[in-house]
Amino acid sequence: MNDLVRQHTALSESDLEWLHLLVSEWQLLSDLSFADLVLWVPTLDGTRYVSVAQMRPNTGPTSYQDDMVGHLVPRGRRPLLDAALDEGRIVREGDPEWREEVPVRVESIPVRREGRVLGVIARNTNLLTVRTPSRLELTYLQSASDLAQMIAAGTFPFPGEAVDMDASPRAGDGLIRLDADGIVQYASPNALSAYHRLGLAADLVGQHLGQITAELAPSRGPVDEALVKLASGYAPREAEVEGNGGVIQLRAIPLEPKGTRIGSLVLLRDVTELRRRERELITKDATIREIHHRVKNNLQTVAALLRLQARRMDSEQGREALNEAVRRVGSIAIVHETLSQNLDERVEFDEIADRVIAMVAEISPGKVTCRRNGRFGILDAEVATPLSMVLTEVLQNALEHAFAPGEQGTVEVTAVRGEPRADARLLITVRDDGRGLPEGFDPQRAGNLGLQIVRTLVEGELGGTFDMQPGAERGTKVVLDIPVQPQK
């Protein structure tokens, strides 16, 4: 709609915002009218109309099989559009049109804003299935007529009340028509069922909806008065009411077709099961995060015990082995700490990588510089946990064996994330400028524990490949190639 309005019309940005607000609301008008709606706006030169939006009803058959958006028609071809635009009134004159052997009643509703007519809504009703209307259908049509008059007067939609079409109740979910005093004149079967869910035992018709709603909802002190006003339809508002184990969502729409409030529409939907599932998910999320938090605490306790044990070791080799175990446990704890702060089982691994690098770099303070290039991106927990251990082992191996005591050097971690496809891969390279690999060294057969852990995790759990090779000029390069899920 933005492109069509800016390309073909003279409407301002504020006018365009008004049309967006109207389009966010007009599913209700379409459903209440049992009719298709097409929004026509005059072109810049005033010789044609361009259709910028279209809506089909959920409550009846469509009159347009084709998409009308973008169509241009000259003035004079559709007299009802001309009359509504020029005279600023709703035009219903004329016989039904025949489209593909289907009779269609056409009406035109001017769209007014601040005294100016911006365009015209063509309301097209398929008459093929017309029958004697029920009380529900008569209420729908009367409400649609009131809303159409408000659009023509520029009082609907309500400024500043943008509506989420997916989240708000629709006419078919439940509808209540109130008079000017808030007394129920009509309640659809779905609306009555929703109030029965709240604990209402009687009929709604003839009752004051605001008072009934406040009685059914738990007492909330001053909130009761606001709830009475909302359910009475005095202002355009949305709220949820909970009582008797049920939850209903309410939306009030005051009706002022001639500038004076004659009543209101209350749309409502039973969202009991939806809210129950949401609460279950929130509880599960909280439980999962609490589990990760406790696992992290337990791992930190294990690491602390290992440090205590290392301090009591007389053997230098045993002390160093325990310190390596502390770093391995710490890398896993970092992942669980990150997961305990998230709503899902996915983590931003760059933060984890930086913390692992800082943790391992502590074994050579001031001698070897460690840095990261590129981005790991978001990874699933089942990838992040073993990958953090792999990164810990590779960095630890480089810092321990690539440099002599006191020697200056650099260890660089580079991550390259592949294109977001189903077969996306993550390429990780760890380079050092140290002494390089020993003569005849085979990384696939080397027996030290760290490399055994790396091979097992990369090839077994991550389904990737691992290789160590001499650097281009000096030092060693470790290459990890693992498959990852596309980032969302």
Side-chain angles (χ1 to χ4, degrees):
M1 185 167 73
N2 287 350
D3 294 340
L4 289 170
V5 169
R6 290 167 181 158
Q7 179 182 354
H8 294 286
T9 77
L11 297 183
S12 65
E13 289 298 316
S14 58
D15 292 334
L16 179 56
E17 286 302 316
W18 183 262
L19 295 185
H20 274 293
L21 192 60
L22 172 66
V23 168
S24 73
E25 292 273 22
W26 72 343
Q27 178 71 66
L28 174 62
L29 177 62
S30 178
D31 290 344
L32 293 175
S33 304
F34 307 97
D36 290 75
L37 306 178
V38 179
L39 177 57
W40 297 93
V41 180
T43 57
L44 184 61
D45 58 10
T47 62
R48 296 181 296 175
Y49 298 96
V50 58
S51 58
V52 298
Q54 178 179 4
M55 179 58 67
R56 293 184 175 91
N58 294 318
T59 52
T62 183
S63 302
Y64 285 113
Q65 298 298 328
D66 299 327
D67 184 9
M68 295 297 296
V69 176
H71 283 216
L72 290 161
V73 297
R75 277 184 64 96
R77 180 175 296 178
R78 301 194 176 186
L80 296 187
L81 293 182
D82 298 338
L85 183 68
D86 298 337
E87 301 172 23
R89 65 181 179 88
I90 298 175
V91 182
R92 297 189 176 95
E93 297 89 351
D95 297 327
E97 298 180 2
W98 287 85
R99 300 175 187 165
E100 298 179 358
E101 300 183 354
V102 175
V104 176
R105 182 176 63 242
V106 181
E107 303 166 90
S108 294
I109 305 168
V111 177
R112 193 183 302 273
R113 174 179 180 263
E114 296 180 351
R116 297 180 299 112
V117 177
L118 307 182
V120 179
I121 295 175
R123 180 163 57 177
N124 303 269
T125 307
N126 187 324
L127 300 178
L128 196 60
T129 58
V130 170
R131 63 185 185 279
T132 302
S134 64
R135 178 73 188 280
L136 180 144
E137 291 169 330
L138 289 173
T139 303
Y140 273 28
L141 293 172
Q142 181 58 54
S143 301
S145 176
D146 294 334
L147 288 178
Q149 292 182 58
M150 292 171 64
I151 292 173
T155 57
F156 185 82
F158 303 108
E161 292 291 329
V163 174
D164 185 346
M165 293 174 62
D166 295 327
S168 290
R170 299 191 177 189
D173 296 326
L175 179 143
I176 297 175
R177 175 86 185 213
L178 306 178
D179 65 13
D181 296 322
I183 305 300
V184 178
Q185 295 179 310
Y186 175 79
S188 71
N190 284 345
L192 190 57
S193 296
Y195 266 83
H196 285 168
R197 186 75 175 263
L198 290 181
L200 178 68
D203 193 3
L204 271 174
V205 176
Q207 303 278 359
H208 189 283
L209 186 66
Q211 295 175 0
I212 286 291
T213 304
E215 291 172 4
L216 295 173
S219 178
R220 297 176 182 176
V223 180
D224 283 347
E225 183 179 352
L227 184 60
V228 170
K229 289 185 176 180
L230 183 144
S232 300
Y234 289 112
R237 294 287 186 273
E238 289 193 30
E240 287 191 3
V241 178
E242 184 171 358
N244 194 40
V247 184
I248 62 172
Q249 183 181 14
L250 296 175
R251 183 191 175 200
I253 303 173
L255 297 176
E256 303 172 351
K258 296 181 180 179
T260 303
R261 182 173 171 274
I262 64 168
S264 55
L265 279 182
V266 177
L267 304 178
L268 63 152
R269 177 170 57 184
D270 186 344
V271 293
T272 305
E273 292 305 311
L274 178 62
R275 296 296 176 259
R276 182 185 62 81
R277 289 195 295 269
E278 287 178 351
R279 289 166 183 165
E280 286 180 353
L281 288 174
I282 291 172
T283 301
K284 288 179 181 178
D285 287 338
T287 301
I288 290 172
R289 281 181 294 190
E290 178 63 21
I291 290 171
H292 285 302
H293 181 71
R294 294 189 181 187
V295 169
K296 182 262 297 184
N297 288 344
N298 291 339
L299 289 172
Q300 289 179 336
T301 300
V302 171
L305 292 174
L306 291 174
R307 288 193 195 95
L308 288 174
Q309 188 66 40
R311 294 193 189 104
R312 295 174 176 270
M313 293 286 292
D314 295 329
S315 167
E316 181 65 27
Q317 186 177 3
R319 188 182 304 114
E320 183 56 36
L322 287 176
N323 286 331
E324 288 181 2
V326 168
R327 288 188 285 273
R328 288 167 185 146
V329 172
S331 66
I332 301 174
I334 290 172
V335 176
H336 283 282
E337 181 179 4
T338 305
L339 287 169
S340 70
Q341 301 168 1
N342 291 348
L343 292 176
D344 56 17
E345 292 291 287
R346 294 167 67 82
V347 296
E348 178 64 63
F349 196 79
D350 295 317
E351 178 186 349
I352 294 174
D354 290 340
R355 294 180 63 181
V356 167
I357 290 171
M359 178 184 67
V360 177
E362 291 177 357
I363 67 176
S364 57
K367 300 174 184 178
V368 179
T369 301
C370 297
R371 60 172 178 260
R372 172 178 65 85
N373 293 320
R375 293 191 69 253
F376 289 85
I378 297 175
L379 298 176
D380 292 334
E382 57 264 28
V383 174
T385 301
L387 183 58
S388 67
M389 286 195 64
V390 168
L391 192 58
T392 300
E393 295 298 331
V394 172
L395 289 170
Q396 191 168 277
N397 188 71
L399 292 172
E400 287 183 356
H401 303 295
F403 305 97
E407 184 181 2
Q408 300 292 324
T410 302
V411 177
E412 185 177 71
V413 179
T414 303
V416 178
R417 188 77 176 254
E419 293 296 325
R421 302 190 305 265
D423 58 347
R425 303 189 74 83
L426 176 62
L427 184 66
I428 305 167
T429 307
V430 181
R431 292 185 178 87
D432 67 68
D433 55 3
R435 68 186 70 174
L437 296 173
E439 188 70 28
F441 179 81
D442 183 358
Q444 302 302 328
R445 298 189 178 185
N448 95 44
L449 178 60
L451 289 181
Q452 287 181 13
I453 291 174
V454 171
R455 285 198 301 268
T456 300
L457 293 178
V458 171
E459 297 172 1
E461 290 198 31
L462 296 175
T465 60
F466 157 73
D467 190 24
M468 292 182 71
Q469 51 193 256
E473 298 180 0
R474 57 173 298 182
T476 304
K477 179 173 72 172
V478 177
V479 180
L480 307 171
D481 186 0
I482 61 174
V484 291
Q485 292 292 323
Q487 298 191 71
K488 298 179 181 178

